[in-house]
Amino acid sequence: VDFQIMGEAKPYIKKTTDKSWRGVTLPWMSIGYELKLAPIHTLTLYNAIANGGKMISPIIIKESRIGGKPVEHYESHILNDQICSTPTLRKVKQMLEGVVERGTAKNIKTEKYKIAGKTGTAQKIENGRYVQKYYTSFAGYFPADNTKYSCIVIVDSPKGYYMEGSTTAAPVFREIADKIYSTDFILHKPL
């Protein structure tokens, strides 16, 4: 992705030629295990989905200045013109909207604007073994029908009885989205 912060993690996606490839690797990879992605990489994928399939490198700042004078200008660049076919993209969007409409994140549904996204719950590894500790997440974008914002929320080792992305990370996403929605009057429907 070439993000603007030093120390960006490099993604690791297994290949069939890797020594650690096993018969269960592919199904595990399909739900996020046995690969390594930084949250910014995951968010870049969600942005591409919201952006009609065009994957663009994320940026934090557009310009740096010293004494009010521009020193350097930054622009995002296209990483992939079309990440998948149009029919596939349409199905993925419907699924991500369905997660909030009637799926694992229905607890963050709002009538004010549409949210699309996906919950995540991943068991942690310590000393080479899975332990009863988790990373929970919600990645998504809003308004889903005319996207302007995206966000990823990750909770490291949530405490309590319910330790899923739907009960820990998704409500944080909704709170962030509500605050943004309340300040962006362009998103509001006329009274």
Side-chain angles (χ1 to χ4, degrees):
V1 174
D2 255 351
F3 198 48
Q4 291 176 315
I5 297 175
M6 286 178 50
E8 174 193 355
K10 298 291 180 210
Y12 170 70
I13 300 172
K14 277 189 183 181
K15 296 181 172 111
T16 55
T17 56
D18 289 352
K19 289 181 183 177
S20 62
W21 186 276
R22 298 184 310 272
V24 295
T25 296
L26 196 56
W28 279 101
M29 285 175 67
S30 74
I31 57 170
Y33 286 95
E34 296 200 34
L35 48 92
K36 296 176 186 177
L37 293 174
I40 193 66
H41 299 125
T42 302
L43 190 58
T44 300
L45 174 64
Y46 279 78
N47 286 341
I49 294 164
N51 197 29
K54 185 181 286 188
M55 184 177 281
I56 299 172
S57 63
I59 60 170
I60 293 179
I61 60 171
K62 291 183 180 180
E63 188 174 76
S64 59
R65 295 173 175 231
I66 295 178
K69 294 182 181 180
V71 175
E72 198 164 349
H73 185 75
Y74 306 93
E75 292 198 26
S76 58
H77 56 278
I78 297 171
L79 300 171
N80 190 331
D81 280 319
Q82 193 66 36
I83 61 168
C84 62
S85 70
T86 302
T88 299
L89 185 64
R90 190 175 342 157
K91 290 173 187 172
V92 169
K93 284 182 164 189
Q94 288 173 347
M95 287 188 282
L96 293 175
E97 290 175 24
V99 168
V100 178
E101 292 290 321
R102 59 195 169 281
T104 56
K106 63 185 172 215
N107 58 314
I108 67 166
K109 180 181 176 183
T110 175
E111 298 304 318
K112 295 176 188 157
Y113 57 93
K114 271 180 118 171
I115 298 172
K118 181 68 183 89
T119 59
T121 306
Q123 202 168 0
K124 294 176 92 172
I125 293 179
E126 290 180 1
N127 300 320
R129 296 187 173 273
Y130 286 105
V131 293
Q132 294 299 309
K133 294 179 186 175
Y134 302 89
Y135 291 109
T136 63
S137 63
F138 185 85
Y141 52 88
F142 64 97
D145 44 8
N146 189 19
T147 305
K148 188 171 181 183
Y149 300 100
S150 65
C151 180
I152 186 168
V153 174
I154 298 169
V155 180
D156 186 353
S157 300
K159 306 288 186 255
Y161 185 71
Y162 298 104
M163 294 183 287
E164 295 106 15
S166 62
T167 56
T168 58
V172 174
F173 180 99
R174 167 70 191 274
E175 189 172 328
I176 292 167
D178 280 349
K179 287 185 180 182
I180 291 170
Y181 177 82
S182 70
T183 60
D184 190 340
F185 297 115
I186 295 170
L187 297 179
H188 296 211
K189 295 175 185 164
L191 294 175

